[in-house]
Amino acid sequence: DVKVTQSSRYLVKRTGEKVFLECVQDMDHENMFWYRQDPGLGLRLIYFSYDVKMKEKGDIPEGYSVSREKKERFSLILESASTNQTSMYLCASRISAGMSTEAFFGQGTRLTVV
Amino acid sequence: SQQGEEDPQALSIQEGENATMNCSYKTSINNLQWYRQNSGRGLVHLILIRSNEREKHSGRLRVTLDTSKKSSSLLITASRAADTASYFCATVPNSGGYQKVTFGTGTKLQVIP
């Protein structure tokens, strides 16, 4: 089974801190994604990566950056955390072959910025 | 961007009853997928239906797709307390790549034992 592991289930950070959220997948998937999930808004794509060192902005990239130095690892970085970044963050991966494949999600990181 | 919308937002039923959730979308799709999310957890893929399919079954799940109405429904038969979760549809567009997948806001299902 594909496993997508996020480094933390819960995080509490202070405003202005630099925050790193880590995601690792073990199935050699090319595509990896970071979403945030807020009540009433569904999942919104922050960034995605289709290969090592390749990244593209999603719908809400402001205030975030990403890093993909190795195929299995995709990191989301909050450059200077703000309270409006308090949210549930979900990492996902999928194989890139065609459109009819599903995404595999990590367990989520609930981030609170105080 | 395209937005999938589930209906109803919340649903409460007794164990053993069937649960039906609907999803509407706006643009042409390659396929539509349903995911489940237990409280505070990540999403788990349930079933995928391609745009040229009308109905698909997997265990107690039945999914229908009507591309002319741009809508899909997920039926869970003989529900169990363990089915309590939020259910999301995700629409994969014909163009723009998988990064253009749009997730709906979900239907929160409660199955009462």
Side-chain angles (χ1 to χ4, degrees):
Chain A
D1 281 351
V2 175
K3 196 164 183 183
V4 180
T5 303
Q6 293 181 229
S7 53
S8 304
R9 285 283 316 278
Y10 300 95
L11 272 180
V12 180
K13 295 291 181 181
R14 295 195 179 278
T15 302
E17 275 192 76
K18 191 168 186 175
V19 181
F20 294 86
L21 303 183
E22 307 286 345
C23 175
V24 177
Q25 50 97 1
D26 66 359
M27 280 299 289
D28 205 36
H29 285 173
E30 292 85 1
N31 295 174
M32 295 189 75
F33 306 81
W34 274 107
Y35 295 91
R36 67 177 279 177
Q37 183 180 23
D38 300 289
L41 296 178
L43 274 70
R44 293 180 291 167
L45 181 64
I46 304 171
Y47 269 97
F48 76 99
S49 169
Y50 51 91
D51 204 347
V52 175
K53 296 191 186 294
M54 307 303 286
K55 60 186 179 186
E56 285 199 23
K57 293 179 180 178
D59 298 320
I60 51 164
E62 297 78 19
Y64 304 94
S65 62
V66 290
S67 171
R68 192 161 179 205
E69 297 297 318
K70 295 184 177 180
K71 193 174 186 179
E72 67 271 18
R73 187 181 296 269
F74 191 35
S75 303
L76 179 70
I77 303 153
L78 284 65
E79 299 291 342
S80 178
S82 64
T83 55
N84 63 13
Q85 292 178 309
T86 291
S87 186
M88 171 72 125
Y89 289 88
L90 293 166
C91 173
S93 76
R94 69 177 283 270
I95 198 166
S96 70
M99 301 291 274
S100 296
T101 58
E102 72 263 35
F104 294 85
F105 282 82
Q107 77 276 25
T109 296
R110 186 163 295 281
L111 172 67
T112 302
V113 182
V114 297
Chain B
S1 61
Q2 171 185 349
Q3 182 68 50
E5 296 181 4
E6 287 92 345
D7 166 53
Q9 288 187 331
L11 181 60
S12 184
I13 59 173
Q14 296 289 328
E15 204 165 28
E17 294 181 338
N18 295 342
T20 300
M21 290 157 259
N22 304 297
C23 170
S24 60
Y25 58 92
K26 294 177 183 172
T27 64
S28 137
I29 61 170
N30 177 282
N31 66 81
L32 185 145
Q33 302 175 20
W34 284 91
Y35 288 81
R36 165 198 169 120
Q37 183 181 36
N38 287 354
S39 180
R41 297 283 184 169
L43 279 70
V44 175
H45 181 261
L46 295 175
I47 194 166
L48 179 153
I49 186 165
R50 294 181 174 81
S51 59
N52 61 355
E53 296 174 312
R54 291 296 166 256
E55 187 170 314
K56 203 159 182 183
H57 296 255
S58 177
R60 294 185 294 113
L61 304 180
R62 174 179 167 250
V63 170
T64 60
L65 179 65
D66 186 336
T67 52
S68 66
K69 294 181 179 178
K70 292 185 167 57
S71 68
S72 173
S73 67
L74 171 68
L75 168 68
I76 303 174
T77 59
S79 63
R80 304 166 183 169
D83 294 327
T84 294
S86 292
Y87 293 82
F88 295 84
C89 68
T91 49
V92 181
N94 268 322
S95 62
Y98 198 91
Q99 64 272 23
K100 297 299 182 184
V101 168
T102 300
F103 288 84
T105 52
T107 291
K108 196 167 187 176
L109 172 66
Q110 181 185 27
V111 181
I112 302 166

